[in-house]
Each structure stands twice: as structure tokens, then as C-alpha cells.
Amino acid sequence: MTPAHRRLAVRAFSVLLFFTVLAGQFWRNLLGWWGFGVIAGLLTIGAVVLLVREKPEWSWRRSPKGVAAFLIVAALSIAWSHYPAASALGVGLTVATTIAAVFVGLCLSWAEFLRALGNALRWILGLSLLFELGVALVVRGPLLPNFVSYEGEKIPMAFYWSRGLLFDGGPIEGIVASRNLLGFIALLALIVFGIQLAAKTVQRRWGITWLVIAAVSFVLTRSATVTLAAVVVLAALGFALWARHRGPRRRGVVYLTAGAALVASIAALTLGWNLLLSIFGKSDDLTGRFDIWAAVSGLASERPLAGWGWIGYWAPWVDPFDSLAERKGVLYLQAHNAWLDVWFQLGIIGLVVFAAIVIPALWRSWFLAVDTAYDGRGAALPPRASALLPLLVLAALIAQSLAESRILVEGGWVLLVAVAFLTKRRQLSGEAMP
């Protein structure tokens, strides 16, 4: 195989990998858990094989230490876990997902990362709209996943693959079977497609078309949590562009304004909470989140230092997850807050090592986004639009982590770890942005 064909294989594999980690529920609903397991296993093997064949430049110095620390703590937690067998399974799944993320972080250039992620997002959004159109035209009602059977007269709406509400203006769930997840994917798409347009790495007409598709998908999901995440992303973009304009020696006012805006936002949320809920049509308990947070916090406080044991996605057949977060006949399998989930599973130790992934990656992403880049001869380069990508992706992930735990599993974990590796690599090598 020629080097060109090898790179083509790496890029194609990366698109499939991003598609699967972001839209894993599509495979599970289509092929069942066993079918998804086969696909996930093949992708993990493929990532290992490509890592060995590509032999990317790697050293301990080039690696984000927080990722290794988190995996070590998660693995050690099997020893004190309340559910050791489930913890062993959870650690194995997290390691497999991390392998996929490391492949992305070490084997893809910035240009390839941007292109592969963009192509995967286009597939997900395009198939989601076609899927919703098919359900609305053919099924004309809610559609259940394949390979499932539910007993009882009334099936909770959360169990359906799609509720078939496209012609009613949504909310739509798409192929990922969740309006919150589809909304977040649409938000990622808005970030990626916007950067590709600004960086002129796609044809303008093509880029605008997909930007509109992403915006339409975002609106049709009618997701309140993702809407708030979008506000955080816009704020991060605004402050980054302002910091670029001010230059490295005149950014004090930027940081002071950002701090004041954060304090003001917290105050506004506190004082205008009921108004905000009414605007988004949410119940006073944020669709059951308050009850879930209270239940999880109660258990976490019983084992505050090291937690109950790592599991990642909650296993519904294991105590206490078999009854911990049940609402209206639906058993939820996350704490709906990643930081609370980490505290519950790995205690304060886990929170420290998780923060050791997020905070340094955010730090590197910020300065990558705002600082002037230089070429090999030391000449200053104009600010690159693509340099904003890791900052905006992390802003979206962190904002989502306050209401969802998806940053700990599948696509969220892959993006977090991949950005941590890519920014670390960029910091040490000065690799050019596309």
C-alpha cells in the first residue's frame, strides 16, 4: 500500500470512528447491542492496528498526563468498587474508547481532524433529517428501535427511536434517538462548518448549505440544555476574538470582563431561574434532574474520597443503578452532570484527575486560539480560524457536562481526550494549523 493510500485509509477510518462514537445509538437501535458490540470491537482493533502501522511520533512528554492518571484511578477503583464486575467492564470500555481517542490525537493532522469530524457530522445530520422525514411520511407516528419489545399498555416516549414530530416543528431525535444528543451534534456541526468556511477549506456554497442544515437541525431539536451550551460557545468565541484583537500585552480588560460576565451570569441564573425555565418550557425540577442530583449526591457523600467504583455508563442490572434514577417509568443511566458522576464513581480523587484533563486542555486551547502563530522562519502568521476549534469544542463539552454526563463516554470522551492530545502535540511541536 502506497503512503497516499495509507493516508486515505486513515482518513476514511477516522470518519467511521467519529460517526460511531457520536452516533452509537444509531447502531444500537439498528442492529441491537450485539451488532453494536461487533462494530465497536472492530473499530477498536482497527485503531490499534493503525496506531502500530502509522508509528506516530510519541513520547511521555507529548502526552497529557491527566488522561493516564484518570485511567489508573479508574482501574484501581475495581479493588474497592461496590460492583467490581461492572467496574471491570466499565474500565475496559473506557480504555477501548481512549484507544480510539489516542489514535485520533496522534495519527491525524489538524487538517485531517477537522475534515474527518466535519464529514462524520454531515453524515449524522443528513441521515437524521432523512430518517425523520421517512418516519413522518411513512410511519406517521412514533417509531421503536429494532430488537426490542416492551410490555404494558403505555410505552414511555423516551423509549422511542423517533416520535415522528418533524412536520410539527419537533422536537426531533434523529438517528441518535435523543434530541439533546442530536442538538449537541448540531452545535458541534455549527462550530466545525463555520470554521471550515472561515478557513476556506470547503467550497463556499457547499459550506453554507451544510451550515444551514446544522442550524435547522439545532432549532428542530428544541433542546434547552444545548441552547445554553451554544450561548457559552458564543461567549468563548467573542472573548477569544477580542483577546486576539487586544494582543498579549493588553488582555487584562478581557480577563476582567470575562470574570465579571461569569459572576453576572451566575447571579442572573439564580434570580431569573423560573423565568428561564418558562422560556424553555421546562419543569421546575429540570425534567427530573434535581431528584437525580439529590440521589447521586447522597450516595457520593457516603464514599466521598474514592467513590463507589468506576462504571462510565450506568449498568441498569447493577445495584444501585437499577433504581437510582427512575422517572415516569424510565430508568436513566447517568447523573446528568459529569462532575457529579465522577465524584460519585471515583470520589474527590477522581474529580482531581478529571480536572487535570479538562483544565490543562482548556488552557492550551485558549492560548492556541488567541496567540499569534509563527512559521518555521519565525515570521508572524495571521490568526487562523481553525485555531479556534479546540477552544470552542471544549467550551461546548464543558457546558454540556453541567447537565449531561456524555463527556465521560463515547463521543464526548473521544473529543475531550483527542483535543487534549492534539493541543499538547501542537504546544510542543508548533504544528501548522490548516
Side-chain angles (χ1 to χ4, degrees):
M1 183 181 292
T2 66
H5 286 118
R6 285 174 56 185
R7 291 315 300 173
L8 182 62
V10 167
R11 293 167 191 153
F13 179 82
S14 301
V15 175
L16 179 59
L17 180 64
F18 275 129
F19 179 93
T20 299
V21 296
L22 289 169
Q25 195 62 37
F26 165 71
W27 295 119
R28 291 189 285 271
N29 283 359
L30 183 68
L31 304 175
W33 276 95
W34 288 107
F36 169 74
V38 170
I39 292 173
L42 290 175
L43 285 174
T44 303
I45 294 170
V48 172
V49 169
L50 288 174
L51 275 168
V52 172
R53 286 187 176 181
E54 293 299 307
K55 297 181 176 64
E57 187 178 354
W58 177 87
S59 67
W60 177 247
R61 181 168 172 264
R62 289 174 174 265
S63 303
K65 311 303 185 295
V67 175
F70 188 91
L71 293 178
I72 290 171
V73 172
L76 290 176
S77 75
I78 298 173
W80 63 79
S81 174
H82 181 72
Y83 31 80
S87 278
L89 176 61
V91 170
L93 293 175
T94 300
V95 169
T97 310
T98 305
I99 291 171
V102 171
F103 160 76
V104 170
L106 293 181
C107 293
L108 298 185
S109 67
W110 277 105
E112 290 172 331
F113 175 79
L114 182 62
R115 187 183 305 117
L117 180 57
N119 287 338
L121 293 170
R122 289 183 181 93
W123 274 106
I124 296 172
L125 293 182
L127 289 175
S128 289
L129 291 178
L130 288 174
F131 169 72
E132 290 288 350
L133 181 62
V135 173
L137 289 175
V138 179
V139 180
R140 298 184 179 182
L143 176 68
L144 285 169
N146 295 327
F147 304 103
V148 295
S149 59
Y150 298 109
E151 298 180 356
E153 296 181 359
K154 187 175 181 180
I155 300 174
M157 293 306 298
F159 290 175
Y160 285 92
W161 192 346
S162 168
R163 287 182 282 178
L165 299 176
L166 178 64
F167 293 155
D168 296 321
I172 64 171
E173 294 80 19
I175 62 171
V176 297
S178 166
R179 66 171 176 168
N180 287 333
L181 181 53
L182 182 61
F184 188 75
I185 288 170
L187 176 58
L188 288 177
L190 288 170
I191 294 170
V192 172
F193 300 165
I195 286 175
Q196 287 181 320
L197 266 176
K200 299 180 180 179
T201 58
V202 294
Q203 292 182 359
R204 183 174 176 80
R205 184 179 300 176
W206 177 254
I208 291 175
T209 298
W210 278 106
L211 200 62
V212 171
I213 290 173
V216 170
S217 301
F218 181 90
V219 171
L220 286 174
T221 61
R222 293 165 55 179
S223 171
T225 56
V226 178
T227 299
L228 293 177
V231 173
V232 174
V233 170
L234 286 174
L237 175 61
F239 281 113
L241 295 178
W242 188 15
R244 278 186 176 186
H245 177 73
R246 298 286 297 181
R249 296 183 180 179
R250 298 187 299 128
R251 290 179 184 157
V253 65
V254 178
Y255 297 132
L256 286 174
T257 305
L262 178 61
V263 172
S265 298
I266 295 173
L269 284 174
T270 303
L271 297 174
W273 184 252
N274 291 332
L275 175 61
L276 184 67
L277 292 177
S278 64
I279 291 173
F280 287 109
K282 288 287 184 180
S283 59
D284 292 341
D285 65 348
L286 277 181
T287 320
R289 280 177 171 82
F290 284 175
D291 290 338
I292 295 174
W293 293 342
V296 175
S297 297
L299 287 177
S301 63
E302 296 180 15
R303 295 186 174 192
L305 182 62
W308 288 66
W310 180 251
I311 197 168
Y313 258 142
W314 294 359
W317 63 88
V318 174
D319 176 68
F321 306 111
D322 54 357
S323 59
L324 181 56
E326 185 174 354
R327 184 175 186 269
K328 295 182 178 180
V330 179
L331 187 64
Y332 290 95
L333 303 179
Q334 57 161 315
H336 283 287
N337 182 294
W339 304 87
L340 180 58
D341 230 334
V342 171
W343 180 39
F344 167 57
Q345 296 183 42
L346 295 179
I348 296 172
I349 296 172
L351 279 176
V352 171
V353 293
F354 182 59
I357 302 174
V358 175
I359 295 174
L362 185 62
W363 180 271
R364 293 190 299 268
S365 297
W366 169 258
F367 288 105
L368 173 63
V370 302
D371 281 348
T372 302
Y374 297 90
D375 62 16
R377 296 172 294 180
L381 298 171
R384 304 272 182 158
S386 54
L388 294 164
L389 177 65
L391 174 66
L392 300 185
V393 168
L394 279 182
L397 286 171
I398 293 170
Q400 185 198 40
S401 73
L402 301 177
E404 302 278 346
S405 300
R406 294 187 182 276
I407 195 175
L408 303 176
V409 295
E410 294 191 312
W413 183 252
V414 167
L415 287 174
L416 173 63
V417 174
V419 167
F421 269 87
L422 283 163
T423 53
K424 187 73 172 181
R425 194 176 81 187
R426 172 62 173 75
Q427 182 187 50
L428 297 176
S429 67
E431 179 185 342
M433 303 294 289

